[in-house]
Amino acid sequence: MATEYTAHNVEQAVKQFYLNPSLQSEVHIWLTGAQISPAAWSFCWDLMGPDKGIEVQYYGASCLHVKIVRFWHEIPPEQFESLKSKLLETIVHFATGPKVILTRLCVGLSALILQLLPQKWPDAIQHLISTFQQEGFASLPTVTRCQILLEVLTVLPEEFYSTNLSQQRRLVLRQELNKGLDHVIPLLQSLLTPESPLEVYQMALKAFSRWVDFGLAMDRAEPIIHQVFTSLRNPQLFDIAADTLSSVFAHPESYKYPVTIQRILSDVLSLHDMFSKALADEDKETCEGICRVVVSLSENHTKLIVESVLGPEEVKQNTMSLLQMILTCTGLPGHFPVDESCSDQTFTFWYLLQDELSMISEEDFMPLMEVFKPIFFSLIEVLLIKARFPSDSDYSSWSLEEKEQFRCYRQDIGDTMMYSYSILCTELLAQLVNCLMALTEMSKRATSQDWQDVEAVLFVFSSVSESVPTDEATHIPKLFSVIREIPFVNSQQISTALNMIGSFAEWMRWHPETLSSVLPLVLQGITNPEVGTAATIALKDITRENLSHLRPFAHQILVACQKSFEANVLKSRDLLRLMSSVGHVLSVMQTEEIMHYLDSMISPHIRHLEALAEMPPCPTNRADVHTTVNIFAWLFGSLDTGLEWEEKEKKNQQQHKQQENSDPIYVILQKISTAVQKIAYAWLFDTGIIEAVCDLYKKALQKLDNGFAPLSTDLTQLVINLYQRCPSTAIIDLCKQMLLMFGLQENFIPFSKAIIENVCVRSLQMFTTGIRNYTDVIEGFMCFLAQVMKKFKKIIMNCNCDLTAIFHAAVLSMALPEQATVKASCSFMIEFLNAGPENEVIKSIVTSRGHLLVDRIMRAIGGESQRGIVDFVADVIMALNKNYVAQLSVWLKTILENEGYPSPRASRQDKEQFIKNLLRDRMNKRKTRDVVKEFTLLCRGLLGTEYAEAAATFL
């Protein structure tokens, strides 16, 4: 690439950027440098010459905009007027296009206005309007002059929000732009008339929308709003008018003008005839546009709607008419998203409405409920229709994307039903039960089996299940009584029924008599691959929530599960859930019974695992290996023989000991341990399988506790060997759990030392080969070290661990871009620093190498790291301040003496003040963080900006 930023060189670079994709990255960097160079003030005009290509012209216009916004200080005040004149001339030159260049130049002019207001270009908006309104200005036709003026007025509010300004400057400019509204409003009113050309009318609507976003008050905008409603009658203006009205009503300050909204409501209601005609004509675009307007007004003024129904009769009637329009929007004919695509827009309104109703005073409660309960009952009827599946033939013709959209839509319906429950409560349950009973009777008598209506009701029941109190004993028992009578004819219908049953699993704990009604259907489902997912989820939920009531059904459940395992028709995830259910059921049985069932049920899986362990790794059996290992992990996770001691008579100590020695998990683990280890070594580089193996041992550790001790030697050797060959976070997590459980037990201390030493040695090797490829493992390693320093300090001090290398590794890890890794590194470093005063080895390391840590911290604060880690490094500074205050003072003063360090934006006085503030507030965590935040914003050039204020809450 050429080194000189000339018009010719830049033009060639732009052409290269578009013609040579392989060089785009390099050219982009060069062009960015050209854009910010002082020479850009000159060559940008040359690039916009009439003989240049559109790409070159666009780059030139973009350069000019960047210079005005970011490098305004480079241009002397005496050139302001000539720049303004030249920019206006160039805009006139591009008046007829290309449009993209004209728009970019108008954005540049808007940026110029913001720079010159108010001193250098007072009343800029008024001057601009009068200039373009002059007949014969630059020999441009009237329509063209209007279009250019409206383009500038459209982008000016956008530029105001997109430009990075200080709070004071933004306040001044807002005042100036508000003054300009006195001239913008009459202009827009004069242009939004039937006499205006279509393109001018469209641009005026767009400009009005942007000024509303800026803050044009609703009462001042009311005359124009009425004109916009008139525009909806014009098909060519409909879309942009609907978008404009949606923006007007969605403005966050529109709630301040309730009287104006009430007057505008009559305009909204006047759309009813137009809406009805669009529905009759199946005009989807018009229906969607009107829905957008109605919903925008409604969801942003729910408080006004609630208050209005208790107001004067006319106001109440208008409000009720509006609610009926929203109901119509919710219940648009056809299925979403194939036949219509806007009924989902109303769901937010119904949520906000019930939220508003939940906050009403006691005196208004009954009068409001008399009005709104019928509305919500109508909503339920509408949503039951909208939740229906289409016919099987129609549904099979839908694309995968349409089916997924419908699934999400039904989920939104379910959420809306849940909100409705907070208003209707048990009355909703009564309506649903009566509906289900009627539909069930009809389906018994019907010759053709129409399952969709019944399925929709069951779906709604599952949606409101979380809100149903556990003491509800009137309607839900009726529901489960009716379930047994429903003639199920479709897999989707059965799946929904099973999902519904599972959703009431917690309720069943208080009503165990319902288990006999629902379990037969659930157990039938676990052998049916079409409904296996729903059935296994339901069974897992029921068995987990109803442990104290499972005993009478244990044999029935286990036999059904065994048959399902033998049939081998379920998906992998379904098998895992099924095994989890088996574990829950076995947990309520005697150890002898558990071993009996396990022997027949688990033995095939053990043999299969052993067979897989003998096979060489290959893609064809990978999924089988993963699933089989996880089957045992899920069993260990749910099987809890400790429940025996809570629910049965106490045994003597000898019997207790026998139970421990024959713990089912221990017995199974003994049988599969050899096969699992073979699989771990064979699939060492498969992250998923190693995670499954580690998960298996973690769950076994949790359940066996001290009973795991006999197997600890083998497991210690396994984790050390695996980590030496292929480090992974799963292995580190398993090591951490082993240490937390047994680390300080006298007979396990040698194993603790071996684990810590080997993990440290192997992890440190990664720092010599490029840690960017191992950031997840580094994060796990740092978390491991933090835990070790906190709980096993004596052990690590007596291991052959290079603490100096570990210290350097933590400093390097703090420079990584991943926030979680930096957080883990800082956590370890804080523990390390806090251990220094009591340990001479650590103290020596810190005092001799602490300047490296401080350098890393200051570079992060100076801008080398993302702002999200500032609190983490601030906490490290506090640990240094607490334990090594004298050394920290020297390190900071020495390092910060360097010119331009850690940022050229920080002056010597800034750095001295930073050091002073840090040392003064050394024992106050919040103040230390605030000092560091302020300094990092200063170093990044963000201090005092509105952006910094908004971002400060996230730092």
Side-chain angles (χ1 to χ4, degrees), residues 147-438:
Q147 288 176 311
I148 296 174
L149 178 59
L150 288 170
E151 185 70 40
V152 177
L153 293 177
T154 299
V155 298
L156 182 56
E158 296 174 347
E159 189 68 12
F160 171 77
Y161 280 114
S162 63
T163 303
N164 190 17
L165 300 167
S166 68
Q167 187 174 8
Q168 181 60 34
R169 178 63 179 163
R170 189 172 294 281
L171 185 62
V172 170
L173 287 178
R174 180 174 285 280
Q175 291 173 346
E176 290 298 316
L177 294 179
N178 274 325
K179 284 165 53 179
L181 274 172
D182 293 336
H183 307 282
V184 173
I185 293 174
L187 172 69
L188 294 177
Q189 282 183 282
S190 67
L191 294 176
L192 290 172
T193 61
E195 293 77 23
S196 292
L198 179 64
E199 58 270 25
V200 171
Y201 206 120
Q202 290 174 328
M203 294 187 71
L205 286 172
K206 187 177 178 182
F208 172 62
S209 176
R210 297 300 179 272
W211 281 98
V212 168
D213 292 340
F214 167 75
L216 174 57
M218 180 77 72
D219 53 350
R220 292 183 70 186
E222 185 178 355
I224 301 181
I225 293 172
H226 291 305
Q227 291 176 283
V228 179
F229 269 103
T230 304
S231 308
L232 288 171
R233 305 289 175 176
N234 185 334
Q236 294 176 298
L237 297 171
F238 179 83
D239 286 337
I240 190 169
D243 289 339
T244 301
L245 289 171
S246 298
S247 298
V248 169
F249 298 138
H251 193 276
E253 295 193 353
S254 62
Y255 75 94
K256 295 180 179 179
Y257 307 95
V259 177
T260 304
I261 292 294
Q262 290 285 13
R263 287 197 297 266
I264 293 173
L265 183 55
S266 59
D267 286 322
V268 176
L269 297 177
S270 70
L271 299 175
H272 184 269
D273 293 341
M274 185 179 178
F275 190 31
S276 299
K277 185 177 184 305
L279 286 172
D281 296 341
E282 298 184 358
D283 183 351
K284 292 173 62 175
E285 288 73 20
T286 301
C287 287
E288 185 171 345
I290 294 176
C291 280
R292 211 158 61 241
V293 173
V294 172
V295 170
S296 180
L297 181 139
S298 305
E299 71 181 13
N300 289 287
H301 301 92
T302 50
K303 184 176 182 180
L304 179 61
I305 289 173
V306 170
E307 293 171 349
S308 297
V309 299
L310 297 180
E313 187 61 28
E314 182 183 355
V315 173
K316 177 181 177 180
Q317 288 304 318
N318 283 344
T319 305
M320 295 303 293
S321 298
L322 177 65
L323 288 168
Q324 288 301 322
M325 281 191 77
I326 302 169
L327 273 173
T328 305
C329 292
T330 305
L332 289 175
H335 287 94
F336 182 96
V338 175
D339 303 314
E340 56 90 7
S341 57
C342 62
S343 60
D344 61 324
Q345 296 176 16
T346 63
F347 294 148
T348 301
F349 165 75
W350 295 115
Y351 165 72
L352 293 172
L353 179 62
Q354 68 82 30
D355 191 49
E356 196 66 49
L357 289 169
S358 68
M359 296 185 288
I360 57 178
S361 62
E362 289 187 18
E363 60 179 300
D364 291 335
F365 182 80
M366 291 307 297
L368 284 172
M369 287 300 103
E370 288 180 11
V371 174
F372 282 102
K373 276 192 174 182
I375 294 291
F376 275 92
F377 275 122
S378 298
L379 175 64
I380 300 305
E381 293 175 4
V382 167
L383 293 180
L384 281 172
I385 295 172
K386 296 298 291 183
R388 289 179 81 254
F389 270 85
S391 66
D392 294 338
S393 57
D394 286 346
Y395 190 66
S396 62
S397 67
W398 286 13
S399 67
L400 290 176
E401 183 180 358
E402 288 168 339
K403 290 178 180 178
E404 174 61 16
Q405 287 178 334
F406 182 63
R407 186 193 66 79
C408 296
Y409 178 76
R410 278 176 39 111
Q411 187 61 55
D412 291 339
I413 287 178
D415 293 341
T416 307
M417 288 290 190
M418 188 170 61
Y419 310 145
S420 301
Y421 183 88
S422 66
I423 303 297
L424 303 175
C425 300
T426 55
E427 294 178 69
L428 171 58
L429 298 179
Q431 182 183 7
L432 292 175
V433 167
N434 291 335
C435 181
L436 184 62
M437 293 172 68

Side-chain angles (χ1 to χ4, degrees), residues 722-880:
L722 292 178
Y723 196 77
Q724 287 293 326
R725 299 182 190 184
C726 184
S728 75
T729 53
I731 301 173
I732 290 182
D733 288 343
L734 178 56
C735 291
K736 189 162 60 174
Q737 183 168 329
M738 292 172 67
L739 290 177
L740 289 173
M741 295 188 71
F742 312 119
L744 295 178
Q745 293 181 10
E746 187 174 350
N747 60 343
F748 195 79
I749 286 179
F751 301 124
S752 298
K753 286 183 178 180
I755 289 172
I756 293 171
E757 183 177 323
N758 280 275
V759 168
C760 289
V761 171
R762 181 63 183 89
S763 298
L764 290 174
Q765 291 174 3
M766 291 186 291
F767 287 84
T768 64
T769 58
I771 56 176
R772 289 297 292 115
N773 298 324
Y774 307 100
T775 52
D776 58 331
V777 183
I778 297 299
E779 178 188 341
F781 176 51
M782 289 297 154
C783 290
F784 174 83
L785 286 175
Q787 199 69 48
V788 168
M789 285 303 302
K790 182 180 288 188
K791 297 184 179 295
F792 308 101
K793 199 180 305 173
K794 290 183 180 179
I795 296 179
I796 193 172
M797 296 306 300
N798 293 322
C799 289
N800 294 324
C801 294
D802 189 341
L803 293 178
T804 302
I806 290 174
F807 177 84
H808 282 286
V811 173
L812 286 173
S813 300
M814 289 170 64
L816 290 170
E818 288 78 13
Q819 189 167 315
T821 307
V822 176
K823 181 180 181 181
S825 305
C826 291
S827 297
F828 160 69
M829 189 61 77
I830 291 168
E831 295 295 336
F832 191 83
L833 295 172
N834 289 338
E838 299 175 1
N839 189 285
E840 287 300 322
V841 176
I842 293 177
K843 186 176 182 180
S844 173
I845 293 171
V846 176
T847 53
S848 62
R849 293 169 173 79
H851 63 283
L852 299 174
L853 172 60
V854 174
D855 175 62
R856 178 62 257 153
I857 292 171
M858 292 312 304
R859 288 180 182 277
I861 294 172
E864 285 190 11
S865 299
Q866 57 178 307
R867 295 187 305 279
I869 58 97
V870 168
D871 278 350
F872 309 145
V873 297
D875 293 345
V876 177
I877 291 178
M878 187 172 176
L880 284 166

Side-chain angles (χ1 to χ4, degrees), residues 565 575-583 602 605 631 635 638:
F565 282 128
L575 288 172
L576 300 181
R577 280 190 290 267
L578 199 60
M579 186 57 78
S580 181
S581 300
V582 168
I602 301 300
H605 294 290
I631 279 176
L635 175 64
S638 60

